[in-house]
Amino acid sequence: MWISVASGKGGTGKTTVAVSLALSNKNTIYVDADVEEPNGFLFIKPVIKEEFSYTELIPLIHEDKCTFCGKCADACVYKAIAILKPVKKAIFFPELCHSCGLCSFVCPVENAIEEVPKEKGRIRKGEKNGQLFIEGILNVGEASGTPLIRGMKKYIPHDRDAIIDSSPGTSCPVVESVGDTDFVLLITEPTPFGLNDLKLAVEMVKEMKLPFGILVNKHEEGNSLIKDYAREEKITILGEIPFSREIAEAYSKGIPVVDVLPDGEKFFVNIMEKIRKGVNTSG
Ligand code: SF4
Ligand code: SF4
């Protein structure tokens, strides 16, 4: 079973929850797909056993063969190619390219476009007390983490449960990291901003037809903002982590919430059981 942990915005405690879920449930793999700012390793402190570069193919236009017909530029939805017909010049913007291969497919001239490898980022694999760890680190200047996340997913073994820590927000990298997962755990906090971002995240997972539930972080007694919304929308709240100075201080020292929450391990084992039940019921 693959569980993705997402949040409509940053700073909601998504990583500490994802790490805690992985640490309390034996035999899971923690996957840090927040490739622009991976920080799960600060909490897990794994021993890195393998590190390699992740490359994808990008086009190299050979101007000596190119007829400057412009078909490749017209086909590229990301505007990564500009063909200047009057001066017979082809310009390629690698930071915009999504390595879809369409330009070379539509090019009518043999060998005018060659596909060459380009490093998108690095993938690291490690371990700590049997806890497997995978993370992606996007190269500086890359426009999108989506290809690297797609690549990382190929390295997740299928014989264990995986907890995939997504980027914050609802952009393409998040869609890629929650896509193909069996359940999305949405982390939110009970503030008007938190609710607003939660609603965007809920829209995204509903659109993707994925089973999901909510975990409220920094919950304060008497605050029913998220509860009221969840009741109206018939969304399950899987748990609430209380607002606590101790938890916030622990976070700043790289200690995950599971280690400071009273009965933390039991709390996260219980969340996992509810998720399993949700996945089985949805079918
Ligand atoms: S489609 Fe091929 S021939 Fe036409 S402009 Fe692009 S690279 Fe050149
Ligand atoms: S590979 Fe795809 S995204 Fe990249 S330049 Fe070609 S058409 Fe555009």
Side-chain angles (χ1 to χ4, degrees):
M1 181 173 66
W2 285 10
I3 298 159
S4 49
V5 182
S7 65
K9 72 175 187 78
T12 50
K14 175 183 59 61
T15 293
T16 187
V17 166
V19 165
S20 299
L21 202 56
L23 290 176
S24 9
N25 289 280
K26 306 295 166 228
N27 258 338
T28 54
I29 307 161
Y30 169 79
V31 181
D32 199 342
D34 187 358
V35 296
E36 283 177 45
E37 278 184 84
N39 62 356
F41 68 95
L42 295 172
F43 297 98
I44 294 194
K45 301 176 183 71
V47 176
I48 299 299
K49 303 228 158 146
E50 211 182 322
E51 177 166 356
F52 50 93
S53 129
Y54 180 75
T55 59
E56 288 219 331
L57 295 175
I58 57 164
L60 171 66
I61 300 176
H62 293 292
E63 288 187 337
D64 55 331
K65 299 196 176 84
C66 174
T67 60
F68 307 98
C69 67
K71 287 192 174 150
C72 53
D74 293 344
C76 181
V77 292
Y78 304 105
K79 307 282 176 231
I81 298 176
I83 299 294
L84 310 179
K85 291 181 192 176
V87 291
K88 296 193 176 351
K89 184 106 197 105
I91 303 174
F92 174 58
F93 304 98
E95 63 283 2
L96 298 181
C97 177
H98 282 54
S99 301
C100 70
L102 188 59
C103 50
S104 57
F105 180 75
V106 299
C107 177
V109 181
E110 201 177 344
N111 298 329
I113 296 186
E114 184 186 352
E115 290 194 286
V116 294
K118 177 175 188 282
E119 186 185 83
K120 295 279 172 185
R122 305 191 65 74
I123 294 175
R124 301 202 303 167
K125 294 164 84 176
E127 199 196 308
K128 170 85 180 286
N129 302 333
Q131 171 73 53
L132 292 189
F133 168 91
I134 302 176
E135 77 171 355
I137 308 166
L138 190 67
N139 278 358
V140 176
E142 279 298 323
S144 168
T146 307
L148 178 59
I149 297 166
R150 197 172 46 232
M152 277 173 73
K153 285 164 95 175
K154 294 181 200 152
Y155 294 95
I156 306 176
H158 283 274
D159 58 348
R160 292 197 188 194
D161 292 333
I163 312 294
I164 301 177
D165 190 356
S166 308
S167 320
T170 49
S171 57
C172 299
V174 184
V175 171
E176 179 61 48
S177 56
V178 306
D180 307 324
T181 62
D182 300 293
F183 192 90
V184 188
L185 182 60
L186 296 175
I187 315 300
T188 188
E189 52 189 30
T191 63
F193 283 129
L195 177 60
N196 181 60
D197 293 318
L198 173 66
K199 285 179 180 171
L200 296 174
V202 167
E203 263 175 49
M204 176 188 74
V205 289
K206 277 190 174 167
E207 188 70 28
M208 296 176 77
K209 299 189 180 11
L210 294 168
F212 67 98
I214 296 172
L215 189 146
V216 185
N217 193 17
K218 302 179 191 163
H219 169 69
E220 286 177 296
E221 277 312 312
N223 183 337
S224 63
L225 195 64
I226 305 294
K227 254 186 202 151
D228 294 344
Y229 164 72
R231 193 180 315 111
E232 274 167 34
E233 296 294 320
K234 299 186 176 48
I235 302 169
T236 309
I237 293 185
L238 297 163
E240 289 166 339
I241 298 172
F243 179 82
S244 134
R245 194 185 172 86
E246 200 192 348
I247 294 175
E249 278 175 4
Y251 181 85
S252 68
K253 290 180 194 149
I255 302 168
V257 58
V258 62
D259 289 346
V260 270
L261 192 68
D263 278 332
E265 192 169 316
K266 203 166 146 199
F267 175 85
F268 283 101
V269 166
N270 188 256
I271 297 278
M272 191 74 156
E273 274 168 16
K274 288 180 186 170
I275 291 175
R276 266 187 221 290
K277 219 177 268 173
V279 170
N280 293 339
T281 345
S282 67

